[in-house]
């Protein structure tokens, strides 16, 4: 049987351009690594230098690994740490750089531990888990009481294509503006206190939810979707403050979170969607009354951390879409509006009551 040889075109040096460039890069990296190793080889102090950096790396590992054990009785330090927990990972490359500069083998080995802990905690959020299915799109936005362009903000949120939209921090003077701007897209709506729900599907069972504030910042409604009834909760939990003397003051927020959790636990419908500004992240133990019984759409079907606040430089996801008895398909943040929060949206699949 005849045999046929297949050959690729090469240059005079016997290799393609990209291959030669790749080989040169590998050789360069190899030479640099060799020089670095040669500079460290035979140095008896590489294990004694950088012990402070190594100790700090180990301390960072313990903080991330045992964050739930950090007590809240001292200025709510535990909740403060958990709110910005993902950002602790920035110390890893810093410690790595210090270890190289100090030529410390001890520090280099120690830095591996916080890197592994951080990846174990948040590595799952780095990938893209978004899907293409779903039969209901929802969005929530803290529009900011001082929003200078409520009409524009309403149009931006409506442009997301959401079937159901929740708005928080509504003022009495701005409510008519939002109602007018959203009327063409959403036939049904209800405003309870400073929160509101707009829907393309009929609403029923609308009522305020008592979250122990003395005024209304949460509501509940049944949305009659083509796939059946879904209970919607809209909530704006009290703000938290970071004070020099008092620390992370969040007592009222925590009390309201417990009340909201009780209301959701008592919900008779099996399919529940919570939309709102919870002024806390999924890592914050103080929201456990809510987070223990619901799933975050961002955690289940998002891409990245989905930070929503502050809008100018998002550092935490305190605006949440959470579900129970509903399957998240995709979750994302929307472009900046006139608010200090970013709107967040999700598309979900409405499972059967038994599903």
């Amino acid at each position: 049987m005849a045999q046929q040889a297949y050959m690729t075109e090469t240059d005079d040096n016997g290799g393609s351009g990209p291959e030669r460039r790749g080989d040169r890069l590998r050789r360069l990296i190899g030479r640099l690594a060799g020089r670095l190793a040669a500079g460290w080889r035979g140095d008896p102090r590489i294990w004694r230098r950088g012990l402070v950096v190594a100790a700090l790396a180990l301390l960072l590992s313990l903080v991330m690994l045992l964050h739930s054990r950090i007590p809240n009785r001292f200025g709510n330090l535990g909740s403060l740490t958990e709110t910005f927990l993902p950002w602790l990972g920035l110390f890893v490359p810093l410690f790595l750089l210090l270890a190289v500069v100090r030529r410390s083998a001890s520090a280099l080995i120690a830095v591996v531990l916080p890197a592994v802990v951080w990846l174990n905690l948040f590595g799952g959020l780095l990938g893209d888990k978004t899907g293409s299915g779903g039969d209901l799109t929802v969005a929530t936005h803290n529009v900011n009481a001082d929003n200078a362009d409520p009409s524009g903000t309403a149009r931006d949120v409506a442009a997301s294509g959401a079937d159901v939209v929740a708005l928080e921090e509504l003022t009495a003077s701005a409510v008519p503006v939002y109602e007018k701007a959203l009327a063409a897209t959403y036939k049904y709506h209800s405003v309870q206190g400073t929160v509101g729900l707009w829907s393309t599907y009929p609403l029923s069972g609308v009522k305020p939810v008592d979250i122990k504030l003395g005024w209304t910042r949460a509501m509940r409604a049944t949305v009659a979707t083509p796939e059946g009834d879904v209970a919607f909760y809209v909530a704006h939990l009290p703000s938290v403050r970071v004070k020099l003397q008092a620390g992370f003051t969040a007592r009222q927020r925590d009390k309201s979170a417990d009340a909201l959790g009780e209301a959701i636990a008592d919900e008779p419908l099996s399919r529940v969607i919570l939309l709102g500004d919870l002024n806390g992240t999924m890592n914050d133990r103080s929201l456990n009354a809510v987070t223990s019984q619901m799933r975050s759409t961002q955690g289940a079907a998002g891409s990245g951390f989905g930070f929503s606040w502050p809008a100018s430089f998002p550092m935490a996801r305190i605006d949440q879409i959470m579900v129970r008895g509903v399957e998240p398909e995709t979750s994302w943040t929307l472009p900046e509006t006139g608010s200090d929060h970013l709107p967040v949206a999700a598309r979900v699949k409405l499972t059967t009551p038994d599903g």
Side-chain angles (χ1 to χ4, degrees):
M1 179 180 295
Q3 292 181 334
Q4 182 176 10
Y6 291 88
M7 300 179 64
T8 58
E9 183 179 355
T10 62
D11 59 17
D12 294 338
N13 293 326
S16 65
E19 289 176 338
R20 291 203 324 277
R21 286 193 294 270
D23 290 341
R24 284 199 297 268
L25 179 60
R26 284 191 291 271
R27 287 196 297 269
L28 177 60
I29 294 175
R31 283 198 297 268
L32 290 175
R35 290 175 182 176
L36 181 62
W40 290 26
R41 192 179 301 121
D43 185 349
R45 296 182 297 170
I46 62 173
W47 297 102
R48 297 196 297 269
R49 281 195 300 260
L51 295 182
V52 172
V53 177
L56 290 174
L58 294 176
L59 177 61
L60 177 63
S61 303
L62 290 175
V63 170
M64 292 191 293
L65 193 61
L66 304 176
H67 63 86
S68 62
R69 302 294 183 89
I70 300 175
N72 258 343
R73 59 179 175 271
F74 302 111
N76 271 349
L77 183 60
S79 287
L80 177 60
T81 302
E82 289 166 337
T83 297
F84 299 103
L85 194 61
W87 291 94
L88 294 183
L90 292 179
F91 286 102
V92 173
L94 174 61
F95 290 159
L96 178 61
L97 177 61
L98 291 175
V100 172
V101 170
R102 291 288 293 147
R103 296 169 62 187
S104 169
S106 300
L108 278 176
I109 294 173
V111 169
V112 173
L113 184 57
V116 170
V117 173
W118 191 92
L119 287 173
N120 182 61
L121 289 173
F122 303 110
L125 294 174
L126 299 180
D128 187 350
K129 301 181 291 297
T130 59
S132 58
D135 43 38
L136 185 74
T137 302
V138 300
T140 181
H141 190 24
N142 179 326
V143 295
N144 189 357
D146 298 323
N147 194 322
D149 184 20
S151 181
T153 295
R155 289 194 299 270
D156 289 342
V157 175
S160 68
D163 303 297
V164 182
V165 169
L167 301 181
E168 304 87 47
E169 208 164 296
L170 297 170
T171 63
S173 60
V175 167
V177 179
Y178 287 107
E179 290 177 329
K180 181 178 180 181
L182 295 172
T185 307
Y186 301 99
K187 184 177 179 180
Y188 309 94
H189 85 279
S190 175
V191 174
Q192 302 288 319
T194 62
V195 299
L197 190 68
W198 276 259
S199 173
T200 57
Y201 304 120
L203 303 179
S204 63
V206 178
K207 64 179 181 180
V209 174
D210 182 12
I211 55 173
K212 312 302 180 184
L213 285 174
W215 69 95
T216 302
R217 283 177 47 150
M219 63 176 289
R220 182 257 181 222
T222 297
V223 176
T225 76
E227 289 73 28
D229 289 349
V230 180
F232 274 79
Y233 284 78
V234 183
H236 182 195
L237 298 187
S239 300
V240 297
R241 298 288 185 267
V242 180
K243 300 179 180 179
L244 182 61
Q245 295 180 339
F248 193 63
T249 57
R251 182 175 302 175
Q252 186 58 64
R253 190 279 311 267
D254 300 347
K255 182 179 178 181
S256 293
D258 290 342
L260 178 62
E262 291 177 8
I264 294 173
D266 293 337
E267 172 57 48
L269 292 181
S270 61
R271 296 182 291 188
V272 183
I273 297 178
L274 169 63
L275 307 169
D277 174 6
L278 302 190
N279 270 306
T281 68
M282 293 295 293
N283 295 316
D284 191 339
R285 75 194 71 170
S286 296
L287 300 184
N288 188 59
V290 176
T291 58
S292 63
Q293 57 179 317
M294 306 192 79
R295 299 172 67 194
S296 163
T297 58
Q298 184 66 26
S303 176
F305 291 94
F307 294 147
S308 64
W309 177 88
S312 57
F313 188 82
M315 297 183 66
R317 185 180 176 88
I318 63 175
D319 300 276
Q320 306 289 354
I321 300 176
M322 303 179 66
V323 299
R324 187 179 75 194
V326 172
E327 186 63 29
E329 291 291 333
T330 185
S331 185
W332 67 98
T333 57
L334 296 170
E336 187 175 356
T337 70
S339 172
D340 57 339
H341 292 242
L342 293 179
V344 298
R347 187 157 179 83
V348 299
K349 180 180 180 180
L350 299 178
T351 58
T352 64
D354 295 331

